[in-house]
Amino acid sequence: MLGLTACGSAENDGNTSSTATTSKTETQQTETAKQTENREDKSTPADTAAAPETADEAKSSGKDTIVVYFSATGTTKKIAERIASVTNADLYEIIPAEPYSDADLNWNDKNSRTTIEMNDPNARPAIADDTISFDGYSTVYIGYPIWWGDAPRIMSTFVEAHDFSGLTVIPFCTSGGSGIGRSGSNLASQAGSGNWLDGDRLDGGISEDELKTWISKYN
Ligand SMILES: Cc1cc2nc3c(=O)[nH]c(=O)nc-3n(C[C@H](O)[C@H](O)[C@H](O)COP(=O)(O)O)c2cc1C
């Protein structure tokens, strides 16, 4: 698996957004905090301060764009926050019902949770509290890390649970070096609705100018 040696390196781009609009229960916030503790980059605490209580509250923001992401070790989270900041979008984190521990994320262990999940195309890890509704949005950025060349199976859980009809969907990923490959088109097939664009791999250390240039491709 090319590029894995670069995986997990801490990236400090420092430009975070305060637009968190995730619907999180107290339990989820605890889970998120636990996950954050597991991350190699411990400098970024979970940003849950501005979380509204319900998905309806999130929709009342009036924004037409939302950035949905899953992140196990914080790299995709930082990029998602920056995209939300630049695009004035809402932000929604996909939180696993069972957080991924360091042992779960060990790709060198053929019996680790992620290895087992990624070896099974039908694995659908549960999401903690999937309350998001896309009503009122026209554009969805959807981000995830690359695991074994594909999107984590929890992304399949998410896209199969939602209707993307009428939405422009822009996938983005972070990785140790692998490109986005077929991960976006695989998710598009699983979603079965929505206008899914090709999307891209974004480097965790992408500059603000590069990020804005990437975003401007879609505006
Ligand atoms: C189980 C597992 C498998 C991975 N597989 C790949 C891979 O195939 N190619 C790659 O370049 N990076 C791979 N990585 C590295 C991650 O894609 C990379 O560290 C990513 O930026 C992590 O994002 P996150 O911090 O948002 O979870 C893998 C990481 C894990 C934990």
Side-chain angles (χ1 to χ4, degrees):
M1 184 170 35
L2 208 61
L4 266 185
T5 45
C7 157
S9 63
E11 280 134 349
N12 292 311
D13 41 73
N15 188 355
T16 56
S17 147
S18 59
T19 54
T21 54
T22 318
S23 300
K24 286 188 178 121
T25 62
E26 230 174 272
T27 319
Q28 274 182 287
Q29 288 179 8
T30 311
E31 300 283 340
T32 308
K34 271 194 233 151
Q35 273 199 298
T36 304
E37 277 166 27
N38 284 332
R39 291 172 184 162
E40 285 178 32
D41 177 5
K42 296 192 167 120
S43 63
T44 309
D47 178 10
T48 55
E53 293 304 313
T54 66
D56 283 346
E57 218 177 311
K59 280 185 283 174
S60 73
S61 70
K63 294 175 178 174
D64 63 4
T65 302
I66 185 165
V67 181
V68 173
Y69 70 96
F70 165 68
S71 180
T73 54
T75 307
T76 311
K77 178 187 176 78
K78 283 188 208 164
I79 297 286
E81 288 170 342
R82 292 175 63 196
I83 294 171
S85 177
V86 172
T87 60
N88 188 31
D90 285 329
L91 194 58
Y92 183 81
E93 180 174 10
I94 298 169
I95 299 177
E98 187 188 337
Y100 287 87
S101 66
D102 286 348
D104 289 340
L105 296 172
N106 184 359
W107 60 79
N108 290 313
D109 178 358
K110 62 181 192 307
N111 293 314
S112 76
R113 176 180 169 195
T114 48
T115 308
I116 292 166
E117 284 178 3
M118 297 313 291
N119 278 335
D120 177 5
N122 297 316
R124 294 293 181 270
I127 295 170
D129 185 14
D130 188 1
T131 54
I132 193 69
S133 158
F134 291 134
D135 289 356
Y137 295 110
S138 56
T139 303
V140 180
Y141 288 84
I142 188 160
Y144 48 86
I146 292 291
W147 285 358
W148 293 101
D150 206 351
R153 300 288 178 228
I154 196 166
M155 297 305 300
S156 306
T157 310
F158 183 82
V159 301
E160 287 175 356
H162 291 279
D163 182 3
F164 293 85
S165 302
L167 295 167
T168 299
V169 188
I170 305 163
F172 66 96
C173 68
T174 68
S175 76
S178 300
I180 195 164
R182 295 178 56 85
S183 61
S185 54
N186 289 345
L187 291 176
S189 305
Q190 291 161 0
S193 61
N195 176 26
W196 287 68
L197 308 184
D198 285 345
D200 277 300
R201 176 207 181 242
L202 299 176
D203 193 88
I206 189 171
S207 73
E208 201 63 5
D209 279 351
E210 287 168 329
L211 187 67
K212 285 179 178 164
T213 301
W214 179 74
I215 288 166
S216 68
K217 286 203 308 188
Y218 304 106
N219 290 303

